[in-house]
Amino acid sequence: MVGAFACLLLVSLVPLPFIVALLAVMVITAVLGALIERVAYRPLRQAPRVSAIITALGCGLVIQNTTLSLSPYARPMPRLFESRTFEFAGVTLNSLQLFIIGVSGVLMLGLDFVIRKTDWGIALRATASDRATVPLMGVPVNRVISLTFAVGGALAGAAGVLYSQAYPVVGAAMGALIGWKAFVAAVIGGIGSIRGAVLGGYILGVVEVTTVVVLPSTWRDLIAYSLLLVILIFKPNGLLGSAAQQKV
Amino acid sequence: MSEVVLSVGNLTVGYGDIRAVKGISFEVQAGEIFTLIGANGAGKTSTLRALSGMLRYGGTVCLNGRDLRGLAAEEIVTAGLAHVPEGRRVFGPLTVLENLKLGAWIRRSQRAAVAADLERMFTFFPRLHERRDQLAGTLSGGEQQMLAVARALMSQARLLVLDEPSMGLAPKLVKEIYAVLREINREGVTLLLVEQNANLALRLADRAAVLETGVITLAGESAALLQDARVREAYLGA
């Protein structure tokens, strides 16, 4: 939601090319992510785990309602991407859809690489597994966590921009449902596993679309959340999750 | 000739109203092995955690003449003190190699030097080489202890602080780890060792101090302490 609004604001002030706007929004939401960590999470670092969940919900409420007070009505999003429709092997596609798939693919592979292969990625995973011991390695824990939130913010910003191109109406509440679905996808895949979250996202997406085709479309969320319950019953750690892992 | 690496003056550590360390002073000299022995709850771990910036403390801690007060734990590693924590604390979801790389965080830009040090660790601990792509959480206790020591050495700190490296390990593994500690020390790394296993620690160390409920009650050459009647009765079971 912030990503989409930031994009709307940017392009209404300066006519930016789409890619530039996307990158600029990612920078803005990265800064916001790091700021949220500093203000809302760091003071609760030693608090019980549930406090982090409460502060997350609280941040969401503050941001949503701030936006609502500034812009009470949904606004149309201008098309920034020249989209052409074509048919391929009997499937109708447009170039925007392909672009979205491409950008998210690049971002997912990039994130996977950073977390698996780079020094920061190793430090991040170590922090997730045993935050108290990481400083003994000379690793500045606070900076690792700030960077993690910045990366998360940048990715969410990119998602907001891409989503608002596919569904070009931006409103304060647009992110809430997406956020819940992202959470469901992460639980399905296994909290703590990034590849699992990607897998969970695709499973959820396919299940939703298939439901709409086969059953009345109002059943969509019922089926999606039932899937979540079934997975929680049979695989409480998600498809790719392991019991020992935890989120930063 | 005997240059002081670590100087601890009137150190106090407390948890709320409980004073775990009640004003202890000692010095560790360059190139030596110094050990603090004592029973459970004597304040050994608290002392080490204060030294590496994990706990607030009173008194002074100087490393190579530099006052460590106010430094964050990660800055103390850069200052040259590496800590092998109690209970090993290796990063379970990371591979052996990743654990070692993380130990070299403060000099991660010196890729060649880090790679050379990795090889050095693998000659100290061939078993880690065999298991370098295995998750650290799947290693045995002894292997994890080896990894914890190697990980600390990767920082190239000149002072290595070890918290009960023998805890919970089979005698054969303890022997193996102690042999490596001796070797590391021969290469010029100063060791500050905390142990409950007094017999073992006193045989390895040059000098020692006995910690009892937060106070140093006895200090001197370890050879002398091994012969001391009080130490023999209280810690060596003789």
Side-chain angles (χ1 to χ4, degrees):
Chain A
M1 183 271 291
V2 174
F5 266 101
C7 185
L8 183 61
L9 194 65
L10 269 179
V11 295
S12 56
L13 293 175
V14 245
L16 293 170
F18 183 47
I19 286 290
V20 178
L22 179 65
L23 292 175
V25 167
M26 286 175 76
V27 171
I28 292 170
T29 50
V31 172
L32 183 65
L35 198 70
I36 288 174
E37 190 276 327
R38 188 71 192 80
V39 174
Y41 285 82
R42 194 171 301 180
L44 297 170
R45 201 65 72 66
Q46 309 304 330
R49 286 275 293 282
V50 69
S51 305
I53 299 170
I54 295 169
T55 204
L57 294 173
C59 287
L61 286 175
V62 168
I63 292 172
Q64 261 187 56
N65 286 290
T66 307
T67 312
L68 202 57
S69 67
L70 297 174
S71 168
Y73 306 107
R75 292 160 187 266
M77 183 78 182
R79 289 246 179 246
L80 301 168
F81 190 88
E82 210 54 59
S83 187
R84 275 192 309 272
T85 306
F86 51 87
E87 229 170 272
F88 178 77
V91 184
T92 312
L93 284 169
N94 66 44
S95 44
L96 176 65
Q97 290 169 328
L98 291 179
F99 180 78
I100 290 175
I101 293 171
V103 169
S104 41
V106 167
L107 290 177
M108 286 188 284
L109 289 176
L111 180 66
D112 195 64
F113 176 81
V114 167
I115 288 190
R116 270 167 199 280
K117 297 290 177 198
T118 65
D119 289 321
W120 278 97
I122 294 174
L124 166 65
R125 284 181 286 133
T127 305
S129 90
D130 185 356
R131 192 173 59 218
T133 304
V134 170
L136 294 180
M137 311 293 116
V139 176
V141 174
N142 281 336
R143 264 196 283 158
V144 171
I145 295 178
S146 293
L147 191 81
T148 307
F149 273 80
V151 169
L155 294 174
V161 173
L162 296 176
Y163 185 89
S164 68
Q165 284 301 300
Y167 307 92
V169 178
V170 299
M174 65 181 279
L177 188 61
I178 308 172
W180 281 115
K181 290 202 170 145
F183 176 69
V184 172
V187 172
I188 290 174
I191 291 284
S193 162
I194 288 169
R195 291 181 176 184
V198 172
L199 179 68
Y202 276 109
I203 291 175
L204 186 63
V206 170
V207 167
E208 283 194 349
V209 173
T210 314
T211 310
V212 176
V213 173
V214 183
L215 298 165
S217 64
T218 44
W219 287 35
R220 192 184 66 184
D221 288 351
L222 171 73
I223 300 289
Y225 289 100
S226 304
L227 174 73
L228 173 69
L229 288 181
V230 170
I231 286 180
L232 282 178
I233 290 166
F234 292 103
K235 286 212 71 153
N237 294 314
L239 296 175
L240 300 185
S242 62
Q245 285 180 324
Q246 50 176 294
K247 256 175 64 178
V248 181
Chain B
M1 127 120 209
S2 62
E3 181 194 339
V4 174
V5 176
L6 181 76
S7 154
V8 175
N10 198 24
L11 181 81
T12 56
V13 184
Y15 303 90
D17 289 338
I18 303 156
R19 307 226 63 80
V21 179
K22 302 166 188 159
I24 64 171
S25 302
F26 62 91
E27 282 183 343
V28 181
Q29 285 160 7
E32 76 167 339
I33 303 180
F34 186 94
T35 183
L36 275 176
I37 57 174
N40 253 339
K44 307 188 299 293
T45 296
S46 299
T47 302
L48 293 197
R49 287 174 60 80
L51 298 185
S52 57
M54 307 287 280
L55 285 179
R56 298 169 150 280
Y57 59 88
T60 55
V61 177
C62 288
L63 183 66
N64 300 313
R66 177 180 176 196
D67 193 342
L68 294 186
R69 175 157 301 283
L71 289 193
E74 67 257 26
E75 294 168 323
I76 289 175
V77 182
T78 316
L81 184 155
H83 184 158
V84 181
E86 184 180 26
R88 313 186 264 272
R89 302 298 282 267
V90 297
F91 300 108
L94 272 61
T95 66
V96 168
L97 202 57
E98 287 171 340
N99 268 275
L100 293 173
K101 277 188 182 164
L102 202 62
W105 173 271
I106 58 170
R107 49 198 203 96
R108 62 193 183 285
S109 56
Q110 312 156 26
R111 301 236 168 231
V114 171
D117 261 10
L118 272 177
E119 289 312 312
R120 208 163 66 92
M121 293 310 137
F122 289 147
T123 41
F124 281 143
F125 302 108
R127 209 128 20 128
L128 294 183
H129 185 257
E130 280 168 42
R131 305 191 186 285
R132 63 188 178 283
D133 294 320
Q134 210 168 308
L135 295 186
T138 66
L139 300 180
S140 73
E143 290 161 350
Q144 288 190 2
Q145 187 64 62
M146 293 174 190
L147 179 56
V149 172
R151 183 180 65 177
L153 285 171
M154 287 299 289
S155 72
Q156 274 210 326
R158 304 309 295 160
L159 173 64
L160 194 62
V161 164
L162 301 114
D163 198 343
E164 294 208 35
S166 74
M167 189 168 71
L169 299 186
K172 183 167 167 281
L173 282 169
V174 173
K175 226 174 180 178
E176 218 175 304
I177 285 168
Y178 267 63
V180 173
L181 292 183
R182 196 181 291 277
E183 174 116 17
I184 292 162
N185 175 248
R186 226 176 267 141
E187 291 191 7
V189 179
T190 306
L191 302 183
L192 168 58
L193 175 71
V194 147
E195 269 289 0
Q196 273 194 65
N197 189 334
N199 192 16
L200 203 63
L202 288 176
R203 281 174 203 286
L204 178 74
D206 302 303
R207 295 190 308 129
V210 178
L211 198 57
E212 264 171 44
T213 56
V215 195
I216 289 180
T217 51
L218 211 57
E221 303 281 322
S222 6
L225 287 188
L226 267 172
Q227 303 305 321
D228 188 280
R230 285 164 296 174
V231 174
R232 289 173 71 85
E233 189 184 342
Y235 299 103
L236 302 178

PDB file of all heavy atoms in Angstrom, chain A residues 41-70:
ATOM      1  N   TYR A  41      10.423  -2.038  16.687  1.00  0.00           N
ATOM      2  CA  TYR A  41      10.891  -3.395  17.006  1.00  0.00           C
ATOM      3  C   TYR A  41      12.073  -3.392  17.969  1.00  0.00           C
ATOM      4  O   TYR A  41      12.120  -4.176  18.898  1.00  0.00           O
ATOM      5  CB  TYR A  41      11.300  -4.146  15.733  1.00  0.00           C
ATOM      6  CG  TYR A  41      10.123  -4.622  14.915  1.00  0.00           C
ATOM      7  CD1 TYR A  41       9.478  -3.763  14.041  1.00  0.00           C
ATOM      8  CD2 TYR A  41       9.671  -5.935  15.010  1.00  0.00           C
ATOM      9  CE1 TYR A  41       8.398  -4.188  13.286  1.00  0.00           C
ATOM     10  CE2 TYR A  41       8.603  -6.377  14.266  1.00  0.00           C
ATOM     11  CZ  TYR A  41       7.969  -5.504  13.401  1.00  0.00           C
ATOM     12  OH  TYR A  41       6.902  -5.934  12.653  1.00  0.00           O
ATOM     13  N   ARG A  42      13.061  -2.488  17.730  1.00  0.00           N
ATOM     14  CA  ARG A  42      14.276  -2.551  18.537  1.00  0.00           C
ATOM     15  C   ARG A  42      14.003  -2.387  20.033  1.00  0.00           C
ATOM     16  O   ARG A  42      14.593  -3.107  20.837  1.00  0.00           O
ATOM     17  CB  ARG A  42      15.307  -1.526  18.046  1.00  0.00           C
ATOM     18  CG  ARG A  42      16.679  -1.786  18.625  1.00  0.00           C
ATOM     19  CD  ARG A  42      17.748  -0.932  18.007  1.00  0.00           C
ATOM     20  NE  ARG A  42      17.862  -1.131  16.563  1.00  0.00           N
ATOM     21  CZ  ARG A  42      18.738  -0.490  15.815  1.00  0.00           C
ATOM     22  NH1 ARG A  42      19.568   0.370  16.361  1.00  0.00           N
ATOM     23  NH2 ARG A  42      18.793  -0.709  14.518  1.00  0.00           N
ATOM     24  N   PRO A  43      13.103  -1.477  20.431  1.00  0.00           N
ATOM     25  CA  PRO A  43      12.838  -1.364  21.872  1.00  0.00           C
ATOM     26  C   PRO A  43      12.252  -2.651  22.463  1.00  0.00           C
ATOM     27  O   PRO A  43      12.303  -2.849  23.668  1.00  0.00           O
ATOM     28  CB  PRO A  43      11.812  -0.224  21.955  1.00  0.00           C
ATOM     29  CG  PRO A  43      11.973   0.526  20.691  1.00  0.00           C
ATOM     30  CD  PRO A  43      12.365  -0.468  19.662  1.00  0.00           C
ATOM     31  N   LEU A  44      11.724  -3.521  21.615  1.00  0.00           N
ATOM     32  CA  LEU A  44      11.102  -4.758  22.097  1.00  0.00           C
ATOM     33  C   LEU A  44      11.990  -5.969  21.872  1.00  0.00           C
ATOM     34  O   LEU A  44      11.526  -7.099  21.951  1.00  0.00           O
ATOM     35  CB  LEU A  44       9.760  -4.978  21.376  1.00  0.00           C
ATOM     36  CG  LEU A  44       8.708  -3.900  21.625  1.00  0.00           C
ATOM     37  CD1 LEU A  44       7.539  -4.080  20.682  1.00  0.00           C
ATOM     38  CD2 LEU A  44       8.241  -3.941  23.064  1.00  0.00           C
ATOM     39  N   ARG A  45      13.277  -5.726  21.583  1.00  0.00           N
ATOM     40  CA  ARG A  45      14.182  -6.815  21.223  1.00  0.00           C
ATOM     41  C   ARG A  45      14.219  -7.897  22.295  1.00  0.00           C
ATOM     42  O   ARG A  45      14.270  -9.083  21.995  1.00  0.00           O
ATOM     43  CB  ARG A  45      15.578  -6.221  21.018  1.00  0.00           C
ATOM     44  CG  ARG A  45      16.539  -7.033  20.194  1.00  0.00           C
ATOM     45  CD  ARG A  45      16.159  -7.217  18.772  1.00  0.00           C
ATOM     46  NE  ARG A  45      16.260  -6.072  17.910  1.00  0.00           N
ATOM     47  CZ  ARG A  45      17.370  -5.458  17.555  1.00  0.00           C
ATOM     48  NH1 ARG A  45      18.521  -5.825  18.059  1.00  0.00           N
ATOM     49  NH2 ARG A  45      17.347  -4.482  16.696  1.00  0.00           N
ATOM     50  N   GLN A  46      14.199  -7.495  23.573  1.00  0.00           N
ATOM     51  CA  GLN A  46      14.318  -8.488  24.652  1.00  0.00           C
ATOM     52  C   GLN A  46      12.943  -8.979  25.120  1.00  0.00           C
ATOM     53  O   GLN A  46      12.864  -9.819  25.999  1.00  0.00           O
ATOM     54  CB  GLN A  46      15.088  -7.907  25.836  1.00  0.00           C
ATOM     55  CG  GLN A  46      16.409  -7.258  25.488  1.00  0.00           C
ATOM     56  CD  GLN A  46      17.363  -8.188  24.756  1.00  0.00           C
ATOM     57  OE1 GLN A  46      17.330  -9.408  24.957  1.00  0.00           O
ATOM     58  NE2 GLN A  46      18.192  -7.656  23.882  1.00  0.00           N
ATOM     59  N   ALA A  47      11.883  -8.424  24.544  1.00  0.00           N
ATOM     60  CA  ALA A  47      10.536  -8.783  24.994  1.00  0.00           C
ATOM     61  C   ALA A  47      10.140 -10.137  24.422  1.00  0.00           C
ATOM     62  O   ALA A  47      10.777 -10.641  23.505  1.00  0.00           O
ATOM     63  CB  ALA A  47       9.563  -7.701  24.538  1.00  0.00           C
ATOM     64  N   PRO A  48       9.087 -10.763  24.966  1.00  0.00           N
ATOM     65  CA  PRO A  48       8.647 -12.058  24.432  1.00  0.00           C
ATOM     66  C   PRO A  48       8.277 -11.963  22.946  1.00  0.00           C
ATOM     67  O   PRO A  48       7.948 -10.878  22.448  1.00  0.00           O
ATOM     68  CB  PRO A  48       7.412 -12.386  25.260  1.00  0.00           C
ATOM     69  CG  PRO A  48       7.446 -11.490  26.428  1.00  0.00           C
ATOM     70  CD  PRO A  48       8.296 -10.332  26.118  1.00  0.00           C
ATOM     71  N   ARG A  49       8.331 -13.092  22.271  1.00  0.00           N
ATOM     72  CA  ARG A  49       8.093 -13.132  20.831  1.00  0.00           C
ATOM     73  C   ARG A  49       6.760 -12.510  20.426  1.00  0.00           C
ATOM     74  O   ARG A  49       6.649 -11.862  19.396  1.00  0.00           O
ATOM     75  CB  ARG A  49       8.105 -14.581  20.334  1.00  0.00           C
ATOM     76  CG  ARG A  49       9.470 -15.209  20.275  1.00  0.00           C
ATOM     77  CD  ARG A  49      10.200 -14.884  18.975  1.00  0.00           C
ATOM     78  NE  ARG A  49       9.582 -15.472  17.804  1.00  0.00           N
ATOM     79  CZ  ARG A  49       9.706 -16.721  17.447  1.00  0.00           C
ATOM     80  NH1 ARG A  49      10.392 -17.541  18.170  1.00  0.00           N
ATOM     81  NH2 ARG A  49       9.143 -17.158  16.343  1.00  0.00           N
ATOM     82  N   VAL A  50       5.737 -12.708  21.284  1.00  0.00           N
ATOM     83  CA  VAL A  50       4.403 -12.239  20.919  1.00  0.00           C
ATOM     84  C   VAL A  50       4.391 -10.715  20.781  1.00  0.00           C
ATOM     85  O   VAL A  50       3.615 -10.160  20.002  1.00  0.00           O
ATOM     86  CB  VAL A  50       3.348 -12.746  21.927  1.00  0.00           C
ATOM     87  CG1 VAL A  50       3.528 -12.086  23.273  1.00  0.00           C
ATOM     88  CG2 VAL A  50       1.956 -12.526  21.408  1.00  0.00           C
ATOM     89  N   SER A  51       5.279 -10.016  21.494  1.00  0.00           N
ATOM     90  CA  SER A  51       5.333  -8.557  21.391  1.00  0.00           C
ATOM     91  C   SER A  51       5.662  -8.118  19.970  1.00  0.00           C
ATOM     92  O   SER A  51       5.179  -7.090  19.493  1.00  0.00           O
ATOM     93  CB  SER A  51       6.380  -7.999  22.346  1.00  0.00           C
ATOM     94  OG  SER A  51       6.137  -8.433  23.646  1.00  0.00           O
ATOM     95  N   ALA A  52       6.503  -8.886  19.293  1.00  0.00           N
ATOM     96  CA  ALA A  52       6.873  -8.531  17.920  1.00  0.00           C
ATOM     97  C   ALA A  52       5.660  -8.629  17.000  1.00  0.00           C
ATOM     98  O   ALA A  52       5.486  -7.819  16.090  1.00  0.00           O
ATOM     99  CB  ALA A  52       7.991  -9.443  17.422  1.00  0.00           C
ATOM    100  N   ILE A  53       4.810  -9.625  17.261  1.00  0.00           N
ATOM    101  CA  ILE A  53       3.610  -9.768  16.436  1.00  0.00           C
ATOM    102  C   ILE A  53       2.656  -8.606  16.704  1.00  0.00           C
ATOM    103  O   ILE A  53       2.102  -8.006  15.775  1.00  0.00           O
ATOM    104  CB  ILE A  53       2.922 -11.118  16.740  1.00  0.00           C
ATOM    105  CG1 ILE A  53       3.886 -12.258  16.400  1.00  0.00           C
ATOM    106  CG2 ILE A  53       1.623 -11.253  15.970  1.00  0.00           C
ATOM    107  CD1 ILE A  53       3.431 -13.616  16.867  1.00  0.00           C
ATOM    108  N   ILE A  54       2.519  -8.258  17.993  1.00  0.00           N
ATOM    109  CA  ILE A  54       1.620  -7.154  18.345  1.00  0.00           C
ATOM    110  C   ILE A  54       2.128  -5.854  17.732  1.00  0.00           C
ATOM    111  O   ILE A  54       1.354  -5.074  17.160  1.00  0.00           O
ATOM    112  CB  ILE A  54       1.500  -7.035  19.882  1.00  0.00           C
ATOM    113  CG1 ILE A  54       0.826  -8.290  20.440  1.00  0.00           C
ATOM    114  CG2 ILE A  54       0.715  -5.788  20.256  1.00  0.00           C
ATOM    115  CD1 ILE A  54       0.882  -8.410  21.937  1.00  0.00           C
ATOM    116  N   THR A  55       3.432  -5.618  17.803  1.00  0.00           N
ATOM    117  CA  THR A  55       3.967  -4.375  17.263  1.00  0.00           C
ATOM    118  C   THR A  55       3.806  -4.347  15.737  1.00  0.00           C
ATOM    119  O   THR A  55       3.560  -3.294  15.141  1.00  0.00           O
ATOM    120  CB  THR A  55       5.430  -4.157  17.715  1.00  0.00           C
ATOM    121  OG1 THR A  55       5.719  -2.763  17.657  1.00  0.00           O
ATOM    122  CG2 THR A  55       6.416  -4.878  16.862  1.00  0.00           C
ATOM    123  N   ALA A  56       3.883  -5.506  15.101  1.00  0.00           N
ATOM    124  CA  ALA A  56       3.678  -5.562  13.653  1.00  0.00           C
ATOM    125  C   ALA A  56       2.249  -5.148  13.301  1.00  0.00           C
ATOM    126  O   ALA A  56       2.026  -4.322  12.406  1.00  0.00           O
ATOM    127  CB  ALA A  56       3.968  -6.958  13.128  1.00  0.00           C
ATOM    128  N   LEU A  57       1.289  -5.711  14.036  1.00  0.00           N
ATOM    129  CA  LEU A  57      -0.112  -5.352  13.781  1.00  0.00           C
ATOM    130  C   LEU A  57      -0.331  -3.864  14.054  1.00  0.00           C
ATOM    131  O   LEU A  57      -1.015  -3.166  13.301  1.00  0.00           O
ATOM    132  CB  LEU A  57      -1.044  -6.191  14.659  1.00  0.00           C
ATOM    133  CG  LEU A  57      -1.057  -7.698  14.340  1.00  0.00           C
ATOM    134  CD1 LEU A  57      -1.876  -8.467  15.375  1.00  0.00           C
ATOM    135  CD2 LEU A  57      -1.613  -7.945  12.947  1.00  0.00           C
ATOM    136  N   GLY A  58       0.301  -3.373  15.126  1.00  0.00           N
ATOM    137  CA  GLY A  58       0.159  -1.965  15.483  1.00  0.00           C
ATOM    138  C   GLY A  58       0.710  -1.058  14.390  1.00  0.00           C
ATOM    139  O   GLY A  58       0.066  -0.077  14.001  1.00  0.00           O
ATOM    140  N   CYS A  59       1.888  -1.396  13.871  1.00  0.00           N
ATOM    141  CA  CYS A  59       2.479  -0.594  12.791  1.00  0.00           C
ATOM    142  C   CYS A  59       1.540  -0.569  11.594  1.00  0.00           C
ATOM    143  O   CYS A  59       1.346   0.481  10.967  1.00  0.00           O
ATOM    144  CB  CYS A  59       3.819  -1.179  12.354  1.00  0.00           C
ATOM    145  SG  CYS A  59       5.118  -0.918  13.538  1.00  0.00           S
ATOM    146  N   GLY A  60       0.980  -1.730  11.270  1.00  0.00           N
ATOM    147  CA  GLY A  60       0.054  -1.804  10.147  1.00  0.00           C
ATOM    148  C   GLY A  60      -1.117  -0.855  10.337  1.00  0.00           C
ATOM    149  O   GLY A  60      -1.488  -0.094   9.441  1.00  0.00           O
ATOM    150  N   LEU A  61      -1.681  -0.862  11.558  1.00  0.00           N
ATOM    151  CA  LEU A  61      -2.833   0.009  11.840  1.00  0.00           C
ATOM    152  C   LEU A  61      -2.447   1.483  11.715  1.00  0.00           C
ATOM    153  O   LEU A  61      -3.175   2.286  11.125  1.00  0.00           O
ATOM    154  CB  LEU A  61      -3.365  -0.273  13.248  1.00  0.00           C
ATOM    155  CG  LEU A  61      -4.145  -1.583  13.399  1.00  0.00           C
ATOM    156  CD1 LEU A  61      -4.516  -1.814  14.850  1.00  0.00           C
ATOM    157  CD2 LEU A  61      -5.393  -1.553  12.525  1.00  0.00           C
ATOM    158  N   VAL A  62      -1.287   1.830  12.281  1.00  0.00           N
ATOM    159  CA  VAL A  62      -0.857   3.235  12.241  1.00  0.00           C
ATOM    160  C   VAL A  62      -0.680   3.686  10.789  1.00  0.00           C
ATOM    161  O   VAL A  62      -1.175   4.747  10.379  1.00  0.00           O
ATOM    162  CB  VAL A  62       0.467   3.414  13.024  1.00  0.00           C
ATOM    163  CG1 VAL A  62       1.080   4.788  12.738  1.00  0.00           C
ATOM    164  CG2 VAL A  62       0.220   3.242  14.507  1.00  0.00           C
ATOM    165  N   ILE A  63       0.001   2.874   9.997  1.00  0.00           N
ATOM    166  CA  ILE A  63       0.277   3.267   8.615  1.00  0.00           C
ATOM    167  C   ILE A  63      -1.014   3.353   7.805  1.00  0.00           C
ATOM    168  O   ILE A  63      -1.248   4.312   7.070  1.00  0.00           O
ATOM    169  CB  ILE A  63       1.271   2.274   7.977  1.00  0.00           C
ATOM    170  CG1 ILE A  63       2.637   2.428   8.636  1.00  0.00           C
ATOM    171  CG2 ILE A  63       1.385   2.516   6.471  1.00  0.00           C
ATOM    172  CD1 ILE A  63       3.629   1.389   8.218  1.00  0.00           C
ATOM    173  N   GLN A  64      -1.870   2.346   7.984  1.00  0.00           N
ATOM    174  CA  GLN A  64      -3.129   2.351   7.233  1.00  0.00           C
ATOM    175  C   GLN A  64      -3.989   3.556   7.564  1.00  0.00           C
ATOM    176  O   GLN A  64      -4.528   4.223   6.684  1.00  0.00           O
ATOM    177  CB  GLN A  64      -3.926   1.094   7.571  1.00  0.00           C
ATOM    178  CG  GLN A  64      -3.783   0.008   6.535  1.00  0.00           C
ATOM    179  CD  GLN A  64      -4.725  -1.130   6.845  1.00  0.00           C
ATOM    180  OE1 GLN A  64      -5.918  -0.945   6.964  1.00  0.00           O
ATOM    181  NE2 GLN A  64      -4.160  -2.313   6.988  1.00  0.00           N
ATOM    182  N   ASN A  65      -4.098   3.849   8.860  1.00  0.00           N
ATOM    183  CA  ASN A  65      -4.989   4.934   9.249  1.00  0.00           C
ATOM    184  C   ASN A  65      -4.394   6.303   8.949  1.00  0.00           C
ATOM    185  O   ASN A  65      -5.132   7.250   8.677  1.00  0.00           O
ATOM    186  CB  ASN A  65      -5.379   4.793  10.719  1.00  0.00           C
ATOM    187  CG  ASN A  65      -6.368   3.653  10.896  1.00  0.00           C
ATOM    188  OD1 ASN A  65      -7.511   3.758  10.474  1.00  0.00           O
ATOM    189  ND2 ASN A  65      -5.919   2.542  11.462  1.00  0.00           N
ATOM    190  N   THR A  66      -3.066   6.397   8.996  1.00  0.00           N
ATOM    191  CA  THR A  66      -2.435   7.649   8.576  1.00  0.00           C
ATOM    192  C   THR A  66      -2.765   7.907   7.103  1.00  0.00           C
ATOM    193  O   THR A  66      -3.153   9.016   6.717  1.00  0.00           O
ATOM    194  CB  THR A  66      -0.907   7.567   8.765  1.00  0.00           C
ATOM    195  OG1 THR A  66      -0.645   7.169  10.098  1.00  0.00           O
ATOM    196  CG2 THR A  66      -0.263   8.910   8.496  1.00  0.00           C
ATOM    197  N   THR A  67      -2.612   6.852   6.292  1.00  0.00           N
ATOM    198  CA  THR A  67      -2.917   6.993   4.874  1.00  0.00           C
ATOM    199  C   THR A  67      -4.388   7.343   4.675  1.00  0.00           C
ATOM    200  O   THR A  67      -4.734   8.209   3.861  1.00  0.00           O
ATOM    201  CB  THR A  67      -2.604   5.683   4.137  1.00  0.00           C
ATOM    202  OG1 THR A  67      -1.314   5.242   4.525  1.00  0.00           O
ATOM    203  CG2 THR A  67      -2.640   5.875   2.634  1.00  0.00           C
ATOM    204  N   LEU A  68      -5.239   6.691   5.460  1.00  0.00           N
ATOM    205  CA  LEU A  68      -6.679   6.917   5.326  1.00  0.00           C
ATOM    206  C   LEU A  68      -7.026   8.381   5.640  1.00  0.00           C
ATOM    207  O   LEU A  68      -7.869   8.994   4.976  1.00  0.00           O
ATOM    208  CB  LEU A  68      -7.414   5.985   6.294  1.00  0.00           C
ATOM    209  CG  LEU A  68      -8.872   5.675   5.985  1.00  0.00           C
ATOM    210  CD1 LEU A  68      -9.010   5.066   4.610  1.00  0.00           C
ATOM    211  CD2 LEU A  68      -9.419   4.715   7.047  1.00  0.00           C
ATOM    212  N   SER A  69      -6.335   8.959   6.625  1.00  0.00           N
ATOM    213  CA  SER A  69      -6.648  10.343   6.981  1.00  0.00           C
ATOM    214  C   SER A  69      -6.131  11.307   5.915  1.00  0.00           C
ATOM    215  O   SER A  69      -6.666  12.401   5.752  1.00  0.00           O
ATOM    216  CB  SER A  69      -6.048  10.686   8.344  1.00  0.00           C
ATOM    217  OG  SER A  69      -4.645  10.677   8.248  1.00  0.00           O
ATOM    218  N   LEU A  70      -5.089  10.903   5.201  1.00  0.00           N
ATOM    219  CA  LEU A  70      -4.558  11.763   4.143  1.00  0.00           C
ATOM    220  C   LEU A  70      -5.328  11.579   2.840  1.00  0.00           C
ATOM    221  O   LEU A  70      -5.482  12.516   2.055  1.00  0.00           O
ATOM    222  CB  LEU A  70      -3.069  11.466   3.899  1.00  0.00           C
ATOM    223  CG  LEU A  70      -2.138  11.733   5.080  1.00  0.00           C
ATOM    224  CD1 LEU A  70      -0.723  11.255   4.765  1.00  0.00           C
ATOM    225  CD2 LEU A  70      -2.126  13.221   5.408  1.00  0.00           C
TER     226      LEU A  70
END
